[in-house]
Amino acid sequence: KDNELSAINIQYHTSNPSGDPFYEDNPVIPSTREFYYGISNVPYALLNGGVTIQHFFDYIEVSKPFNQNASIIESLRDANFDISINSGFNNNTLNVEVDIVAVKALPMKELSVRVAIIEREIHGINGNNGDTVFRNVVKAMLPGAAGVSISKSWSVSDHQKIDLEWPIQQVYDPLQLRLVAFVQDEATYEIYQAKLKPI
């Protein structure tokens, strides 16, 4: 939370420890992302997709506690894409339009565009560890955990528009919903750009 102007924090609640109500609300997305990154223990954090071993944090003081300086350094890198997000409701369905625009020329590679729907703050739930406030909980990922795959080379100003929708479910307070769109390299896991937007 101390660095929220230069980093976007999203929290996946997993099956370990058991009984986590946020995992039970949505088991597929966190389980798939655990497998994607090869994570078997919690708590665990990845910065910029875990591109290097310096971007993996297990929060053990003698091992790899989180390093805020690494987050600041990553935030200073020039992005490869710009992202714009528009959203609106149609009854109980959230409609999302994402447009990604290349700001650098890139060779042929496989990228994925994902949109995480997070609930910024959740109150009134008692966690197994005594926590009663939970932040940035992932509620869904659009169109699914795999995202939208794009395999192509990019020239400056090339863009790709993606339309998505989500029937709102398992939400504690709709006013706390936020969208996080991000572009990820499927070979290296690097996050090329991310954008946070209130709904």
Side-chain angles (χ1 to χ4, degrees):
K1 189 160 180 170
D2 295 336
N3 198 26
E4 58 188 10
L5 292 179
S6 56
I8 299 172
N9 180 0
I10 64 176
Q11 302 277 333
Y12 300 99
H13 285 250
T14 68
S15 61
N16 178 22
S18 62
D20 187 318
F22 307 123
Y23 171 78
E24 292 170 0
D25 284 348
N26 173 26
V28 174
I29 299 302
S31 297
T32 305
R33 296 300 275 173
E34 271 187 294
F35 180 77
Y36 179 83
Y37 286 119
I39 293 172
S40 58
N41 296 310
V42 296
Y44 212 95
L46 295 174
L47 174 64
N48 193 20
V51 175
T52 71
I53 194 66
Q54 288 77 27
H55 293 166
F56 285 75
F57 306 99
D58 61 16
Y59 291 91
I60 299 172
E61 189 171 345
V62 297
S63 177
K64 293 290 295 288
F66 188 74
N67 180 349
Q68 280 197 344
N69 289 335
S71 175
I72 293 168
I73 290 168
E74 285 302 305
S75 73
L76 297 175
R77 296 184 189 278
D78 291 335
N80 292 326
F81 291 90
D82 280 335
I83 300 176
S84 63
I85 309 170
N86 291 302
S87 62
F89 292 100
N90 182 7
N91 295 321
N92 203 43
T93 297
L94 174 65
N95 296 299
V96 181
E97 178 188 277
V98 176
D99 195 13
I100 65 168
V101 181
V103 295
K104 295 181 182 177
L106 294 172
M108 168 73 76
K109 56 181 61 196
E110 183 183 359
L111 304 179
S112 290
V113 178
R114 296 176 173 90
V115 177
I117 299 173
I118 63 174
E119 200 161 348
R120 191 176 66 89
E121 281 193 5
I122 298 174
H123 297 263
I125 302 293
N126 294 318
N128 290 338
N129 61 356
D131 285 349
T132 57
V133 179
F134 299 89
R135 294 182 172 89
N136 306 312
V137 177
V138 175
K139 309 304 294 184
M141 190 167 284
L142 308 180
V148 174
S149 180
I150 304 171
S151 295
K152 58 177 280 186
S153 57
W154 296 80
S155 299
V156 174
S157 298
D158 281 356
H159 78 102
Q160 179 88 33
K161 190 163 77 169
I162 300 165
D163 292 312
L164 303 162
E165 63 178 34
W166 179 60
I168 297 172
Q169 52 194 337
Q170 307 293 358
V171 170
Y172 295 83
D173 182 356
L175 296 177
Q176 293 290 326
L177 291 177
R178 305 290 186 268
L179 297 169
V180 179
F182 59 99
V183 181
Q184 187 162 29
D185 186 314
E186 288 299 296
T188 67
Y189 300 154
E190 181 177 1
I191 306 295
Y192 283 156
Q193 178 62 293
K195 179 80 174 279
L196 171 70
K197 179 188 179 294
I199 294 178

